[in-house]
Amino acid sequence: MVSSHASALQNKHAGLEAQLRAELNRPSPDAATIQALKRQKLRIKEELSVS
């Protein structure tokens, strides 16, 4: 059974992935925004792997 915390992290990760895809599909994506989104996704992924 997946804990509610892990489930919330997975949902947040999915949301960040959607934001990242949207930013990458813009005519002129912002590199700083892309980097920040990737960093947030990585932190969540690391936290998921620990729990």
Side-chain angles (χ1 to χ4, degrees):
M1 183 172 134
V2 178
S3 73
S4 60
H5 180 66
S7 179
L9 287 174
Q10 289 172 340
N11 288 337
K12 188 168 183 173
H13 189 272
L16 289 169
E17 178 64 30
Q19 288 179 351
L20 182 60
R21 277 196 307 271
E23 184 65 32
L24 288 170
N25 288 329
R26 288 181 49 199
S28 56
D30 180 35
T33 300
I34 291 169
Q35 186 177 24
L37 289 168
K38 287 182 176 183
R39 200 174 296 126
Q40 290 175 20
K41 280 181 54 183
L42 182 59
R43 275 193 222 115
I44 290 172
K45 189 174 182 179
E46 288 172 348
E47 190 172 340
L48 280 169
S49 69
V50 171
S51 53

